[in-house]
Amino acid sequence: MSNQTKTVTTTTEAPQDTRGRVRYLTVTAMLAAVSFILQYFEISLPIMPPFIKFDFSDIPALLGSFAFGPVCGVLICLVKNLLHMAFSNSMFVGELSNFLLGSAFVIIAGSIYKYKKTKMGALAGGVLGAIVMGVFSIASNWFVVYPAYYQVMPKEAILGAYQAILPSMKSIFQSLVVFNLPFTIAKGLIAVAFCMLIYKPLSPILKGAKNR
């Protein structure tokens, strides 16, 4: 019984036994592949500038973070964006932004769930992770993403895209707060909602029959 308990515990982080490591790597790779595919099913929203699109690629990373811990979630975000870089024309800045935001999301959500493995723990971790991701999006876009895009797209053009939706926007920073912050939080919350619905039935498949 003690050996079984030890096995269950180690599979929630980096497993120490060979079988656990194989499952960990296999599930991480599988979820990263699904996340990569979902990243291409982008949805343009009329309330956002055309260069900001919605996708569901955070869901597999969140599932991995709940199943095996936040490190697994970060690895899924990393592999997804490394794969996407090969087919991207965003100068790799879009992938960097996606990785940073996704990592912030799954680290918070997975860390809270790791220490409170209940439905409420998953919900609290996911909601807080979404909020942190939204707030972090302001900093990452302000300091990293948009300065890189200014090299190929004038700052005035980017601001103009926001002003086309809401003419009262006076600056990029104001636009990030009014548009990107709620959009990123909502994107995270949608991922949380999906995970809350599918994690429990998928958990035995992800972790293996012995870890139900």
Side-chain angles (χ1 to χ4, degrees), residues 29-46:
M30 178 191 70
L31 290 175
V34 173
S35 186
F36 167 68
I37 294 170
L38 289 176
Q39 202 169 16
Y40 281 94
F41 290 89
E42 298 177 322
I43 302 172
S44 297
L45 302 176

Side-chain angles (χ1 to χ4, degrees), residues 33-211:
V34 173
S35 186
F36 167 68
I37 294 170
L38 289 176
Q39 202 169 16
Y40 281 94
F41 290 89
E42 298 177 322
I43 302 172
S44 297
L45 302 176
I47 59 173
M48 296 297 294
F51 50 83
I52 299 177
K53 294 180 173 63
F54 176 86
D55 66 70
F56 296 94
S57 64
D58 288 330
I59 296 175
L62 187 59
L63 285 172
S65 185
F66 283 157
F68 293 105
V71 173
C72 178
V74 172
L75 288 174
I76 292 169
C77 291
L78 177 62
V79 173
K80 169 189 72 173
N81 283 289
L82 288 176
L83 292 173
H84 196 264
M85 283 171 61
F87 308 94
S88 173
N89 59 359
S90 69
M91 304 180 300
F92 310 143
V93 180
E95 287 75 27
L96 175 61
S97 174
N98 188 280
F99 170 70
L100 293 175
L101 295 181
S103 295
F105 181 33
V106 300
I107 286 173
I108 298 297
S111 296
I112 292 177
Y113 183 68
K114 175 183 175 182
Y115 292 104
K116 189 173 179 61
K117 291 184 177 298
T118 64
K119 187 174 182 178
M120 288 305 299
L123 180 61
V127 171
L128 183 58
I131 294 173
V132 170
M133 179 171 65
V135 174
F136 185 55
S137 72
I138 297 176
S140 65
N141 281 310
W142 179 254
F143 291 109
V144 179
V145 179
Y146 281 19
Y149 282 143
Y150 294 157
Q151 308 303 313
V152 295
M153 187 175 185
K155 183 177 181 179
E156 294 74 17
I158 295 178
L159 179 58
Y162 286 107
Q163 291 173 332
I165 302 170
L166 190 61
S168 61
M169 292 296 97
K170 304 299 182 184
S171 68
I172 293 294
F173 187 83
Q174 182 186 19
S175 301
L176 291 175
V177 173
V178 173
F179 285 89
N180 294 58
L181 173 63
F183 170 81
T184 306
I185 293 175
K187 181 183 177 183
L189 292 178
I190 290 172
V192 172
F194 273 95
C195 283
M196 295 298 292
L197 291 174
I198 65 177
Y199 177 70
K200 187 173 181 179
L202 283 180
S203 181
I205 300 173
L206 296 174
K207 295 182 179 182
K210 290 185 178 181
N211 296 319

